[in-house]
Amino acid sequence: MSNPLRRALADTGRERLLRAASITLATLLLALSVNVAVAAHAMYEGVLTRDAARQMTYFIDPTETDELGNPAELDTPPIAKIAIQDDRAGWDLVTIVTLAVIDPDAPPPPGLTHWPEPGQVFASQALVDDAEGPALIGAYGSFAGTIATDALSLPTDLVAWVGADVDRMSPTALGIPSFGRPPVSVDGSGDGPGYASFYSAVAMMVPISAWRVLVAFFLVAPSLVYLFVSLRLGAERRASRLAVLRALGASPRHVRAAILAELAPPVAVGAGAALLVSLAGTAATWRLPVLDAAVVGEDLRAHIGWLALGPVFAALAASIIMLWADRQRRSSAPATRPVSSAPKERSWPVVVLAASVFVANYGYAHFDAAERPDVGVL
């Protein structure tokens, strides 16, 4: 074998390690990017389910209609009167629910141990922990306890239930027969929660379609580019080795098997690491990158099977890119014999690409955050 061909087929340990590490990282990032979409869907579904449970019902039965086709009225006495308004704790928007009980034997609202007495305030833990929260709570009455976390749309909800006397409620206050509505689907309306939620955190939610666009353009697309660039490292030497295999009579099936065998270890490590990280996300509440929204681990556990989607997608994408690149190279090559030399590859473009993807996403997620207090994000 000639010296130039020997150099073309050689592959130093440092180059192999760099290539494997880059492919592993690219696979990990792509798999996690896809699983962010799964987490966003789980977050939306959990938020809408819990929000529906605390919504007040009206004196109608949607399952029954009158002769005009309108929902039938319920002959049920009200259990309480309710009025909802927004206030602020610093820049943070807080939902204030004023509640006057009529039937103290009726079940209290979700998340409360009992009906609040006039002057008592139940608040979410996030409001209690807010720097301006205690002052706001004190302005409405005495603190009586926290609202159970599983009754909030998210642990970050800023909500207060304020007890009041029935005779002092505003004439515009609504009488309600119960709490709890059927939850709507995530894609039910294509425009937010699918009904007019009285809670600010849910009312200002953007459509989930917008979140999917963000994930696609700011996470999945850059990760795919990074994976493509990583797979092209060592392409010349790989092409030389495959040309030798073909020259020795290897069938197309054997060549494809050789390509995938070389690719399998780093992709398997990256996909496996992504699966472990995704499963770890089911154990606690954490914040989505770029979207800056809280995901409750329990919501993600309800979709635990879908967490395999990211690793499977990343592995398939890597395999398809490698096989496609080999086919493109063969179709455009003037000859099938091994090349006599291979240019020296530079690794710095891959490092620059990875850094730019991180900086771009970090910059988007934190851009001017302190100057936009009225933006409706969770």
Side-chain angles (χ1 to χ4, degrees):
M1 185 181 295
S2 65
N3 288 336
L5 183 57
R6 188 185 302 274
R7 287 195 301 270
L9 298 180
D11 202 358
T12 66
R14 177 179 174 275
E15 290 171 339
R16 285 198 305 270
L17 182 62
L18 175 62
R19 183 167 63 250
S22 186
I23 294 174
T24 298
L25 180 59
T27 304
L28 171 66
L29 292 178
L30 179 57
L32 290 179
S33 298
V34 173
N35 278 355
V36 164
V38 176
H41 182 94
M43 182 270 295
Y44 253 75
E45 188 171 279
V47 165
L48 297 180
T49 299
R50 288 186 292 273
D51 186 64
R54 65 183 178 181
Q55 291 292 328
M56 57 189 181
T57 58
Y58 299 104
F59 291 95
I60 59 173
D61 183 358
T63 63
E64 300 290 340
T65 57
D66 57 21
E67 61 275 7
L68 299 178
N70 298 317
E73 294 187 3
L74 292 174
D75 186 17
T76 305
I79 62 172
K81 284 191 173 183
I82 192 170
I84 299 179
Q85 67 186 69
D86 287 330
D87 207 329
R88 285 193 180 274
W91 284 113
D92 299 320
L93 199 61
V94 182
T95 302
I96 306 296
V97 184
T98 304
L99 192 66
V101 61
I102 297 175
D103 181 6
D105 294 328
L112 304 189
T113 56
H114 60 273
W115 292 96
E117 299 289 339
Q120 286 187 335
V121 180
F122 283 88
S124 63
Q125 188 62 51
L127 181 58
V128 175
D129 296 337
D130 190 280
E132 306 290 336
L136 181 65
I137 294 171
Y140 284 93
S142 59
F143 180 64
T146 57
I147 303 171
T149 303
D150 58 5
L152 301 170
S153 62
L154 286 170
T156 52
D157 265 5
L158 299 176
V159 180
W161 291 79
V162 180
D165 193 289
V166 175
D167 298 330
R168 302 188 64 179
M169 290 290 286
S170 167
T172 59
L174 297 174
I176 58 172
S178 63
F179 292 92
R181 294 184 184 181
V184 298
S185 65
V186 172
D187 297 299
S189 68
D191 185 21
Y195 55 81
S197 176
F198 295 102
Y199 295 84
S200 57
V202 180
M204 293 189 299
M205 286 173 67
V206 298
I208 194 171
S209 57
W211 293 55
R212 289 169 178 161
V213 170
L214 289 177
V215 171
F217 280 95
F218 288 92
L219 290 177
V220 175
S223 298
L224 272 172
V225 172
Y226 179 31
L227 179 63
F228 181 84
V229 174
S230 299
L231 292 173
R232 297 304 296 156
L233 291 174
E236 294 293 336
R237 289 188 174 86
R238 185 184 309 113
S240 299
R241 291 195 297 270
L242 296 178
V244 170
L245 284 178
R246 292 188 175 95
L248 293 175
S251 66
R253 182 171 62 86
H254 286 107
V255 173
R256 288 194 296 269
I259 294 173
L260 297 179
E262 178 183 348
L263 182 65
V267 168
V269 172
L275 183 59
L276 291 177
V277 171
S278 301
L279 292 176
T282 66
T285 298
W286 51 282
R287 301 197 73 81
L288 281 170
V290 179
L291 308 179
D292 192 33
V295 177
V296 180
E298 185 177 350
D299 295 341
L300 197 54
R301 284 197 296 274
H303 298 77
I304 196 167
W306 284 99
L307 295 179
L309 179 63
V312 170
F313 177 85
L316 286 176
S319 302
I320 291 172
I321 290 172
M322 284 287 282
L323 295 175
W324 172 84
D326 177 66
R327 182 175 180 180
Q328 289 296 109
R329 185 179 184 85
R330 285 190 294 111
S331 63
S332 60
T336 58
R337 64 182 179 84
V339 296
S340 61
S341 63
K344 181 176 177 60
E345 290 125 2
R346 299 177 179 177
S347 59
W348 65 265
V350 179
V351 177
V352 172
L353 174 65
S356 63
V357 169
F358 173 79
V359 171
N361 283 289
Y362 183 87
Y364 174 82
H366 296 83
F367 173 72
D368 208 19
E371 301 297 328
R372 47 190 177 95
D374 294 319
V375 173
V377 295
L378 290 176

